[in-house]
């Protein structure tokens, strides 16, 4: 009896040693992860590291520096004078009263600066390319020198743009027309990337037709963008490049020019995107980490991102890639819906040129209307890189609560590669009223599904009749 008791104690000790690490990591005794617990723990750990900008309380009125909100006078000298004063006094808030302030060139920000746009205030930029000097930047995932963004900050901390006002890129007549003639410079930039030409030698500008961003913050810490509305952007609206600790909250968009992405975090970390009303001419949110060689060499993932309570309208709602060579991980998307049409709801795209990885992606309780595809992951984007060997790792993707009306192409798509299949994906509580293709999975390993309704829900079987019994013979 004592021997059996000692044996049971020993067995219990061994089992406890085996199971305790799994239980501590939020796993059941069967080894299946508690995905809700993982998602919530990840989200909360990310939010604990996000604080946004802290700005000195001194308030400066831009009109006191000579700015006129008449829509025609050049207000740029007054803005620059005010910003210089704030830099010398160790920070403050630059208040912009109602009016239209015409800016004949870019605003270059400084640390400890908040630009607060009152309701009725508009910053309207002159679209003349000659007014925008060449600065250190990035274009479609390649580091280079190009036209300054209309609002630009490099190497700063504690920067904010807030208020109820409008930022108008006014790019309709110049920059917005350049896409059809950008191809030679675009391909030259990619060749420089692939051949590791030093970034200092990658000079673009007049005659190259590479459009600048509306707002770019590059290598900045503690950033807050809140409340303002953006219209008529020359290219991407908000580009957070190598930033850490940034809040984008309550932004509004009516930006439908060419490639007017809403928010593009690239090689950035600890980002909160919430309560945004998107209406964009391209992706609403596009998460990136550099293209090809530049992404591998920089090796800075885009990570720790929370997206919640957003209202999507535009081409695609949330995109990862295709410039993701430095990797993307730890993204939580919760409680989002649609304000209008989106072609795709969630879209992860890479190809065998990119390398890198995508992992730790959680989608919870998001609703769309009519789409082309509801959820789409492809490792074969645009048919590029098919002869390459830089396959991406796509793994640990979990969707719980995702719905739409009609999916005119497909509800759920996973396209891995034979060399690197997509692994560890789960779908639960998926609801699609109608889909031309319900599920299309290829080159995948470890996909689980539960409580998914694609197309009308199946009814309850009726009682077997005498007529049915002829098929039993």
């Amino acid at each position: 009896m004592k021997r059996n008791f000692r044996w049971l104690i020993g067995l219990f000790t061994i089992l406890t040693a085996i199971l305790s690490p799994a239980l501590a990591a939020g796993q059941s005794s069967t080894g299946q992860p508690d995905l809700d617990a993982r998602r919530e723990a990840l989200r909360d750990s990310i939010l604990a590291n996000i604080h946004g900008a802290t700005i000195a309380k001194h308030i400066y009125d831009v009109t006191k520096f000579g700015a006129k909100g008449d829509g025609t006078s050049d207000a740029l000298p007054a803005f620059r004078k005010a910003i210089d004063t704030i830099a010398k006094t160790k920070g403050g808030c630059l208040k912009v009263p109602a009016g239209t302030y015409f800016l004949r060139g870019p605003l270059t920000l400084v640390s400890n600066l908040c630009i607060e746009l009152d309701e009725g205030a508009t910053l309207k930029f002159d679209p003349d390319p000659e007014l925008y000097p060449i600065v250190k930047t990035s274009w479609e995932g390649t580091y280079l020198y190009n036209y300054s963004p209309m609002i630009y900050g490099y190497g700063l901390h504690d920067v904010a743009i807030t208020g109820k006002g409008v930022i108008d890129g006014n790019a309709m007549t110049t920059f917005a027309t350049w896409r059809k003639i950008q191809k030679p410079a675009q391909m030259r930039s990619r060749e420089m990337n692939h051949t590791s030409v030093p970034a200092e030698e990658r000079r673009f500008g007049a005659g190259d037709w590479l459009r600048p961003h509306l707002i770019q913050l590059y290598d900045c810490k503690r950033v807050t963008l809140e409340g303002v509305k953006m219209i008529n952007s020359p290219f991407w609206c908000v580009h957070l490049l190598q930033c850490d600790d940034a809040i984008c909250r309550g932004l509004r968009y009516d930006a439908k020019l060419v490639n007017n992405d809403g928010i593009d975090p690239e090689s950035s970390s600890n980002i909160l995107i919430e309560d945004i009303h998107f209406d964009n001419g391209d992706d609403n949110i596009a998460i990136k980490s550099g293209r090809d060689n530049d992404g591998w060499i920089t090796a800075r993932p885009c990570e720790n991102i929370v997206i919640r309570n957003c209202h999507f309208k535009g081409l695609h709602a949330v995109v990862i890639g295709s410039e993701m060579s430095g990797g993307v991980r730890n993204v939580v998307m919760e409680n989002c819906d649609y304000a209008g049409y989106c072609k795709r709801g969630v879209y992860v795209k890479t190809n065998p040129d990119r390398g890198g990885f995508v992992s730790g992606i959680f989608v919870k309780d998001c609703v769309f209307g009519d789409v082309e595809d509801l959820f789409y992951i492809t490792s074969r984007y645009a048919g590029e890189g098919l002869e390459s060997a830089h396959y991406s790792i796509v793994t640990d993707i979990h969707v719980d609560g995702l719905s739409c009306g009609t999916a005119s192409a497909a509800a759920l798509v996973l396209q891995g590669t034979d060399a690197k299949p997509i692994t560890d994906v789960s779908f639960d509580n998926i609801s699609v009223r109608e889909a031309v293709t319900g599920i299309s999975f290829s080159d995948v390993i470890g996909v689980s599904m539960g409580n998914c309704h694609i197309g009308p829900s199946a009814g309850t079987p009726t009682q077997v009749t005498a007529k049915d019994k002829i098929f039993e013979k």
Side-chain angles (χ1 to χ4, degrees):
M1 181 69 178
K2 290 183 179 178
R3 183 180 301 172
N4 290 339
F5 185 71
R6 285 197 298 269
W7 180 84
L8 287 172
I9 291 175
L11 179 61
F12 178 79
T13 302
I14 293 169
L15 288 173
T16 301
I18 293 171
L19 293 176
S20 292
L23 293 170
Q27 293 183 332
S28 71
S29 60
T30 61
Q32 295 299 317
D34 182 342
L35 295 174
D36 268 342
R38 275 192 61 200
R39 174 183 52 80
E40 291 172 5
L42 176 61
R43 177 199 63 206
D44 293 346
S45 68
I46 294 170
L47 294 176
N49 290 312
I50 300 174
H51 309 286
T54 300
I55 305 295
K57 295 181 180 179
H58 305 296
I59 297 176
Y60 301 82
D61 187 327
V62 74
T63 62
K64 304 301 184 184
F65 293 84
K68 296 180 180 179
D70 58 13
T72 56
S73 302
D74 183 10
L76 185 61
F79 272 83
R80 286 181 173 172
K81 185 177 179 182
I83 290 171
D84 287 345
T85 299
I86 290 171
K88 291 173 183 176
T89 56
K90 306 302 181 185
C93 179
L94 181 58
K95 194 171 182 63
V96 183
T100 298
Y101 298 85
F102 191 61
L103 300 168
R104 300 199 70 246
L107 284 181
T108 302
L109 307 181
V110 297
S111 295
N112 296 307
L113 169 66
C114 173
I115 296 178
E116 183 177 344
L117 302 178
D118 284 354
E119 188 168 4
T122 297
L123 302 182
K124 187 172 184 177
F125 288 88
D126 191 319
D128 182 354
E130 294 185 0
L131 299 173
Y132 296 86
I134 305 305
V135 300
K136 186 176 183 179
T137 182
S138 170
W139 204 86
E140 289 190 342
T142 294
Y143 294 96
L144 47 73
Y145 285 76
N146 191 41
Y147 292 106
S148 172
M150 291 176 167
I151 299 178
Y152 179 66
Y154 177 74
L156 308 179
H157 63 86
D158 297 291
V159 179
I161 303 172
T162 65
K164 300 290 187 180
V166 175
I167 300 172
D168 183 358
N170 192 29
M172 299 81 69
T173 59
T174 57
F175 298 117
T177 69
W178 285 7
R179 183 179 182 180
K180 59 182 179 292
I181 50 177
Q182 74 183 19
K183 195 70 173 181
Q186 179 189 51
M187 299 312 294
R188 182 160 59 93
S189 75
R190 294 182 183 181
E191 180 64 20
M192 290 176 165
N193 180 329
H194 294 157
T195 56
S196 299
V197 172
E200 292 290 329
E201 298 176 18
R202 303 177 187 181
R203 298 278 170 166
F204 294 80
D208 290 315
W209 319 111
L210 298 185
R211 295 157 286 159
H213 309 80
L214 180 64
I215 299 172
Q216 183 185 73
L217 297 173
Y218 184 172
D219 190 25
C220 295
K221 296 180 180 179
R222 298 187 296 279
V223 171
T224 298
L225 303 175
E226 184 168 2
V228 297
K229 184 175 183 178
M230 281 164 272
I231 64 176
N232 303 320
S233 176
F235 190 47
W236 300 348
C237 295
V238 175
H239 187 203
L240 301 174
L241 178 62
Q242 294 188 5
C243 290
D244 180 64
D245 186 357
I247 297 172
C248 296
R249 176 185 291 132
L251 300 174
R252 299 162 292 140
Y253 291 87
D254 185 10
K256 302 190 189 71
L257 299 182
V258 180
N259 298 130
N260 277 192
D261 287 10
I263 302 171
D264 291 61
E266 182 167 6
S267 299
S268 291
S269 56
N270 300 312
I271 310 293
L272 172 61
I273 301 172
E274 66 177 355
D275 301 317
I276 311 291
H277 287 262
F278 291 99
D279 189 358
N280 294 81
D282 210 314
D283 301 334
N284 290 175
I285 299 171
I287 301 169
K288 303 172 182 291
S289 62
R291 175 183 291 271
D292 305 343
N293 289 43
D294 280 10
W296 307 328
I297 292 169
T298 304
R300 184 163 176 171
C302 207
E303 60 187 348
N304 302 338
I305 299 171
V306 173
I307 301 165
R308 63 185 182 186
N309 306 323
C310 290
H311 311 285
F312 296 116
K313 182 180 180 182
L315 182 62
H316 306 127
V318 175
V319 177
I320 296 175
S322 68
E323 305 95 325
M324 42 61 68
S325 298
V328 175
R329 64 187 170 207
N330 300 340
V331 179
V332 179
M333 175 184 173
E334 297 179 328
N335 301 314
C336 295
D337 59 20
Y338 64 102
Y341 178 77
C342 290
K343 182 177 181 179
R344 293 191 175 98
V346 179
Y347 187 21
V348 180
K349 52 182 180 176
T350 179
N351 62 50
D353 275 343
R354 293 287 178 267
F357 59 85
V358 177
S359 68
I361 312 299
F362 292 84
V363 178
K364 175 71 173 179
D365 294 339
C366 294
V367 178
F368 291 92
D370 293 336
V371 298
E372 183 173 308
D373 304 292
L374 178 59
F375 186 92
Y376 202 121
I377 299 179
T378 181
S379 297
R380 316 170 198 165
Y381 174 63
E384 298 175 4
L386 297 181
E387 302 301 321
S388 181
H390 300 292
Y391 295 99
S392 302
I393 297 170
V394 182
T395 188
D396 194 20
I397 316 289
H398 306 286
V399 184
D400 182 2
L402 181 63
S403 66
C404 73
T406 299
S408 62
L412 306 176
V413 179
L414 301 176
Q415 295 177 344
T417 60
D418 182 61
K420 291 287 183 183
I422 296 169
T423 64
D424 188 15
V425 181
S426 68
F427 296 102
D428 201 4
N429 297 308
I430 307 298
S431 178
V432 180
R433 187 180 67 242
E434 182 180 351
V436 172
T437 299
I439 298 171
S440 177
F441 297 166
S442 55
D443 292 310
V444 299
I445 296 174
V447 179
S448 65
M449 301 185 70
N451 198 31
C452 297
H453 298 279
I454 299 174
S457 297
T460 302
T462 59
Q463 186 175 0
V464 176
T465 66
K467 180 181 178 181
D468 297 321
K469 289 183 178 180
I470 64 172
F471 296 104
E472 296 179 2
K473 296 179 182 179

